[in-house]
Amino acid sequence: MDFIFSTFKEFFLTAKVIGETFYYVWFLVFPVAFYYLFKHLWVKFVQRKFSASIEWTLLEIIPPRDIEKSPKLMESLFSGLSGILKSPNVFEEYLDGYLTHFFSFELVSDEGTVHFYIRTPKIFRNLVEAHLYAQYPTLEITEVPDYVDNVPKVIPDRDWDLWGTDFVLVKDDAYPIRTYLKFEESVTGKMIDPLAGLAEVMGKIGAGQKIWFQYIIIPVKEDWYDTGYEIVKKLTGRAKQEKGILEKLLVDIGDVFSNFFRAFWGEFKFSEEKKEEMQPLEFRLTPGEKDILKAVEENIGKNVFNVKMRFVYLGRRENFNKSTISAFMGGIKQFADQNLNSFKPHDPSKTYASFLFAKPRLQYRQRKIFRLYKDRDPEGAMFILSTTELATLYHMPDMSVLAPSIVRVDARKGGAPANLPVE
């Protein structure tokens, strides 16, 4: 009994000493222990404050009827937007919470009428308009109210249903999707507009239905090229798997003894790995591998953006038709190249649920993606696309896209004749 009593007594005496010591040094211990937690919370706080201070505007882009230009023109817009990228200093990062500005490019079908929108910070509105007018002088740009406010604030509800998902790339970001350069008719050589399929699907929905499709893009620093070039090194066989010190030593010893005995008969022999390295690259790659290598090298040489690609289909319950989702997914598959890259739904974001508490979990997912879309929030998985890939996905459709659902400029704009009489 005395032993137990003395043990407790020593424990409390030790705790008292520790407590007294901590009382005198807490101001030294706490900053070190909680520095990273405080830094994380502080940065999040100032970044939210910075984001809330940004003023936005939604622009509707109305393409002309007689446009006959390829998507390549849109590359200049995306290249121009990459110029807003800057490296914040310490004060801007930790006091102002500076974040790189982003843009949202949106394709929307409102009961079968297709609209093109760009949501931009107001400070960059002139930049967006200047690049668009430079390439498409006859289009119209109009500031409009946000279309997401034309539906109930919370969906699903008693009257409305919803299905949505984010998209991700199947392979590494350096591998390009099928771009407009590959959309060419083999006989006539005429380009097939990549948006034709999507425009037809979006134009077929009926009353009480809406399709919202957005690309949130954030410029990426040029040093991403080094990351992409690692794929090139793998494709060319230059990126060798690092061997351990012991493994390297054993390989070298094996080569020495093997070649020592062969040297007597003039049969000096390189290892199979070295022999393969000595062969010219064009003999080591198949024709398909050469095409892949060329496509990857061209892709990583472009300006690139972090992209959030999000799709939402919503409608009144009596009109909600899930076959529209399958049709839209078919339209997305036209950008797939099995040798290179393609899109797939991001499973954690898809609006489905199974097994336990399926209904409330499904509703939570539906309302979450609805809120993220309305807020243009880039939360979740993102991937990198080049300006060429973005121009393929979002551009002004040419006159070959006959979908009557696309809103177009009714008349060509032009200046007054030079010979008008002046009084």
Side-chain angles (χ1 to χ4, degrees):
M1 194 71 181
D2 291 338
F3 173 75
I4 296 174
F5 178 77
S6 61
T7 301
F8 273 103
K9 183 178 180 180
E10 289 179 7
F11 172 78
F12 286 114
L13 286 174
T14 304
K16 181 181 178 181
V17 172
I18 293 173
E20 291 175 347
T21 304
F22 184 76
Y23 176 79
Y24 291 105
V25 301
W26 67 268
F27 56 89
L28 299 175
V29 175
F30 266 43
V32 176
F34 293 95
Y35 167 73
Y36 291 104
L37 176 61
F38 173 78
K39 178 182 176 182
H40 174 76
L41 294 176
W42 172 258
V43 169
K44 288 294 183 183
F45 169 74
V46 293
Q47 285 180 347
R48 282 197 298 269
K49 188 176 179 182
F50 179 84
S51 297
S53 69
I54 299 175
E55 295 184 44
W56 297 91
T57 184
L58 185 67
L59 304 177
E60 180 172 7
I61 315 301
I62 306 177
R65 292 186 177 276
D66 58 351
I67 188 171
E68 291 185 281
K69 297 180 178 180
S70 80
K72 184 175 179 62
L73 299 181
M74 284 296 289
E75 287 197 55
S76 65
L77 169 63
F78 293 114
S79 295
L81 297 184
S82 67
I84 71 168
L85 187 67
K86 80 169 197 174
S87 299
N89 58 41
V90 175
F91 296 102
E92 290 174 327
E93 184 175 0
Y94 293 106
L95 294 181
D96 298 334
Y98 179 83
L99 289 169
T100 301
H101 290 83
F102 60 85
F103 305 84
S104 182
F105 288 74
E106 301 170 3
L107 276 171
V108 174
S109 177
D110 185 3
E111 298 185 339
T113 304
V114 181
H115 302 265
F116 291 77
Y117 296 106
I118 300 178
R119 187 174 186 259
T120 173
K122 280 190 175 181
I123 58 174
F124 296 120
R125 174 177 176 174
N126 290 340
L127 174 67
V128 172
E129 291 185 346
H131 281 286
L132 282 171
Y133 280 131
Q135 304 302 326
Y136 305 97
T138 56
L139 58 69
E140 285 188 1
I141 302 176
T142 308
E143 184 173 2
V144 294
D146 201 338
Y147 61 88
V148 300
D149 296 328
N150 298 332
V151 297
K153 292 184 178 181
V154 178
I155 296 179
D157 61 11
R158 184 178 59 184
D159 300 318
W160 290 76
D161 201 358
L162 174 151
W163 193 95
T165 185
D166 294 344
F167 288 90
V168 292
L169 289 172
V170 173
K171 297 182 182 178
D172 191 279
D173 296 350
Y175 291 89
I177 60 171
R178 185 186 179 203
T179 65
Y180 66 85
L181 302 172
K182 301 287 184 68
F183 283 80
E184 187 176 278
E185 212 281 322
S186 58
V187 177
T188 63
K190 184 178 180 181
M191 193 199 75
I192 303 170
D193 195 303
L195 287 184
L198 282 181
E200 287 293 338
V201 172
M202 297 177 77
K204 294 295 184 183
I205 64 173
Q209 302 175 67
K210 300 177 187 293
I211 289 178
W212 296 352
F213 191 41
Q214 70 182 188
Y215 309 98
I216 299 173
I217 66 170
I218 308 174
V220 175
K221 293 181 179 180
E222 290 81 358
D223 58 7
W224 180 83
Y225 175 86
D226 298 330
T227 304
Y229 192 68
E230 291 299 317
I231 302 297
V232 175
K233 290 167 67 175
K234 289 180 182 179
L235 292 173
T236 57
R238 296 175 186 171
K240 298 297 181 183
Q241 186 175 359
E242 287 296 324
K243 298 177 180 178
I245 297 177
L246 181 59
E247 185 179 0
K248 289 181 179 178
L249 180 61
L250 292 175
V251 170
D252 290 341
I253 291 174
D255 278 347
V256 169
F257 278 100
S258 175
N259 289 313
F260 176 77
F261 290 109
R262 291 192 179 96
F264 286 105
W265 291 274
E267 295 179 358
F268 188 81
K269 184 179 180 182
F270 288 104
S271 66
E272 293 299 323
E273 184 177 328
K274 291 179 180 178
K275 285 176 65 178
E276 184 178 349
E277 288 179 354
M278 292 175 63
Q279 294 179 352
L281 180 62
E282 57 267 25
F283 295 122
R284 285 189 276 131
L285 299 179
T286 66
E289 289 172 335
K290 292 177 185 177
D291 291 339
I292 293 172
L293 176 60
K294 180 181 178 182
V296 171
E297 284 190 305
E298 289 177 350
N299 196 49
I300 64 175
K302 307 276 186 177
N303 291 315
V304 295
F305 292 79
N306 261 323
V307 179
K308 164 61 65 177
M309 183 174 167
R310 184 174 286 135
F311 163 71
V312 172
Y313 167 63
L314 61 159
R316 293 189 173 276
R317 291 190 178 274
E318 63 269 20
N319 303 110
F320 197 81
N321 185 356
K322 287 193 174 181
S323 65
T324 301
I325 301 168
S326 301
F328 189 87
M329 292 299 173
I332 292 296
K333 286 186 179 296
Q334 68 181 323
F335 302 110
D337 187 323
Q338 299 305 318
N339 288 325
L340 295 171
N341 221 334
S342 58
F343 297 113
K344 66 176 181 180
H346 187 222
D347 196 65
S349 69
K350 286 172 62 176
T351 50
Y352 77 99
S354 305
F355 308 113
L356 296 176
F357 308 108
K359 186 174 181 179
R361 286 168 48 227
L362 170 62
Q363 192 174 73
Y364 168 77
R365 285 191 170 208
Q366 290 174 310
R367 291 180 175 176
K368 179 181 179 181
I369 199 167
F370 179 66
R371 174 183 58 80
L372 292 175
Y373 187 102
K374 289 179 63 177
D375 295 343
R376 278 78 174 188
D377 192 329
E379 174 187 324
M382 301 186 76
F383 50 86
I384 288 178
L385 292 180
S386 67
T387 53
T388 302
E389 293 171 292
L390 284 171
T392 301
L393 296 168
Y394 190 98
H395 59 268
M396 299 300 103
D398 68 16
M399 59 190 302
S400 66
V401 181
L402 301 177
S405 55
I406 296 178
V407 177
R408 295 184 185 266
V409 177
D410 289 328
R412 179 192 294 270
K413 289 183 178 180
N419 60 351
L420 282 179
V422 179
E423 295 183 358

